[in-house]
Amino acid sequence: MEWIRTANLKKYNVIEAFHTFESLDWVKSGFEIVEGDIVYIYVGKPFSRIMFKTVCTCSQVEEYKRISDREFWGNPDEFNVRSDRIRLRLESKIVSDVLSIEILRKKHLIKTTIQGAYKAENYPELFSYIRQCFDEQDKHEISAYLRSLCENNDLQETEKNILAKARISQEYFKKKLLHKYGSQCAICGLDSKPLLVGSHIKPWAEATSAERLDENNGLLLCVMHDALFDRHFITFDEDGHIVISRSLTKEQRKILQIDPSIKISIRDETKCYMKIHYQKFFEREQSF
Ligand SMILES: [Zn+2]
């Protein structure tokens, strides 16, 4: 489910707060927003536009675990008010006016202004436009990121920047693999996106920047098969046949849904990466 929630800058400076924190705790106000829901934040005057795309990562934040964002409240006492809160993690930000109230009005997506909360099912056209704007924005961000990878040798780069870039590139990598594998685990066919991982064949830590983003260096796997592949309990030969560690018993293999008949298709561009994985697998097997 997708939502729009509004923010009054005089009351709470959400813009500054998102400069400081990656996630914020938002008063629930009775709306049943649950984990995984997308929440767009409409920022009131003087901006009067939708600026942030967030994802709900917790539908009930415990009071003692709250993010301490007192300084961003117009009246700091309001920070102390006890209330049901959800946690929203910033996904993306649009600074331009593509989602301003004037443009939304001109496009006849809203009548007057945005107040309270909006639910996607009641405003399909409005939400489809918002989605489209954020998709465009993400594409720009990724191409800017790819450019910066080629240019940026700045050693002063902050940890926060590095983490943000790592997250963007992981998401980009997963997106490409979701497309390539039709959003299914290459081994078992599980098709639940939150449970799928863009698994690097040559590990992230050992890969170059280009290799980290190269879809040929990836398999789309569910979390369980990713764990097996990442820890070299399984690998694949040149033709894509699975090779299973002899340390796994017959019963374990059954539980883990792996058997020697499994075969994935491996392109030539992937073979050089898989070769490294295959070698490591056999080095590891020696130890049993
Ligand atoms: Zn799987």
Side-chain angles (χ1 to χ4, degrees):
M1 179 58 65
E2 289 168 297
W3 303 79
I4 300 172
R5 295 291 307 267
T6 56
N8 176 340
L9 284 180
K10 274 190 195 152
K11 215 173 155 194
Y12 181 73
N13 194 336
V14 62
I15 297 177
E16 287 300 321
F18 268 137
H19 274 155
T20 310
F21 297 106
E22 200 194 15
S23 294
L24 297 175
D25 297 332
W26 212 264
V27 178
K28 221 170 185 175
S29 311
F31 299 103
E32 274 317 305
I33 298 174
V34 295
E35 243 173 86
D37 281 4
I38 299 291
V39 182
Y40 301 102
I41 309 284
Y42 173 82
V43 179
K45 283 174 190 166
F47 294 95
S48 307
R49 64 188 65 167
I50 294 170
M51 280 179 117
F52 302 106
K53 176 186 173 184
T54 68
V55 61
C56 175
T57 55
C58 175
S59 54
Q60 185 71 56
V61 179
E62 290 179 63
E63 199 58 32
Y64 75 97
K65 284 187 182 163
R66 265 184 69 193
I67 287 163
S68 51
D69 58 353
R70 182 189 302 269
E71 60 184 302
F72 303 110
W73 287 90
N75 171 5
D77 288 344
E78 285 198 52
F79 171 80
N80 298 329
V81 175
R82 287 179 80 93
S83 184
D84 286 341
R85 287 166 208 270
I86 53 173
R87 180 155 295 172
L88 299 178
R89 188 185 72 210
L90 181 62
E91 290 281 290
S92 196
K93 178 179 170 182
I94 291 187
V95 190
S96 75
D97 65 352
V98 286
L99 290 171
S100 69
I101 200 85
E102 289 94 49
I103 290 189
L104 296 178
R105 262 188 224 136
K106 262 188 210 151
K107 289 182 174 288
H108 305 289
L109 296 169
I110 53 160
K111 283 194 181 122
T112 52
T113 184
I114 295 186
Q115 274 175 335
Y118 285 58
K119 214 174 173 178
E121 59 189 18
N122 302 328
Y123 302 87
E125 283 163 10
L126 171 63
F127 277 83
S128 130
Y129 175 67
I130 297 171
R131 233 172 276 138
Q132 191 190 321
C133 290
F134 274 97
D135 282 350
E136 284 294 312
Q137 160 75 18
D138 289 349
K139 269 188 221 153
H140 282 143
E141 207 173 302
I142 286 162
S143 51
Y145 166 71
L146 292 175
R147 271 201 308 279
S148 79
L149 275 182
C150 304
E151 295 160 2
N152 201 341
N153 291 316
D154 185 2
L155 294 173
Q156 311 256 321
E157 212 174 7
T158 64
E159 202 174 333
K160 201 174 164 189
N161 265 341
I162 294 168
L163 287 175
K165 281 185 179 177
R167 187 166 61 81
I168 294 168
S169 73
Q170 288 280 19
E171 277 166 15
Y172 172 76
F173 187 68
K174 181 175 170 182
K175 238 183 225 178
K176 286 213 286 191
L177 289 170
L178 281 169
H179 185 71
K180 187 174 166 184
Y181 286 91
S183 301
Q184 287 189 336
C185 170
I187 294 179
C188 66
L190 183 78
D191 61 357
S192 162
K193 279 187 192 172
L195 294 177
L196 292 171
V197 181
S199 185
H200 282 90
I201 302 173
K202 183 175 179 184
W204 165 270
E206 292 164 26
T208 65
S209 304
E211 288 170 344
R212 287 174 180 176
L213 293 165
D214 182 4
E215 63 185 278
N216 294 310
N217 183 24
L219 294 177
L220 187 71
L221 297 174
C222 67
V223 285
M224 179 176 79
H225 289 125
D226 170 61
L228 289 174
F229 184 71
D230 187 52
R231 290 163 210 187
H232 295 87
F233 279 100
I234 52 171
T235 190
F236 295 91
D237 70 11
E238 271 213 313
D239 303 318
H241 291 109
I242 196 168
V243 186
I244 304 168
S245 170
R246 57 182 175 187
S247 67
L248 293 172
T249 64
K250 213 171 150 191
E251 288 72 30
Q252 288 169 335
R253 292 170 188 218
K254 206 171 161 194
I255 294 167
L256 296 165
Q257 291 184 52
I258 41 172
D259 69 75
S261 71
I262 291 168
K263 184 177 183 286
I264 60 168
S265 71
I266 291 191
R267 281 199 223 153
D268 283 345
E269 297 88 332
T270 298
K271 283 183 182 165
C272 56
Y273 294 116
M274 197 57 89
K275 213 172 157 186
I276 303 172
H277 192 273
Y278 189 79
Q279 279 165 358
K280 262 208 186 147
F281 172 89
F282 280 100
E283 278 166 28
R284 194 179 163 279
E285 283 297 281
Q286 310 287 329
S287 59
F288 296 118

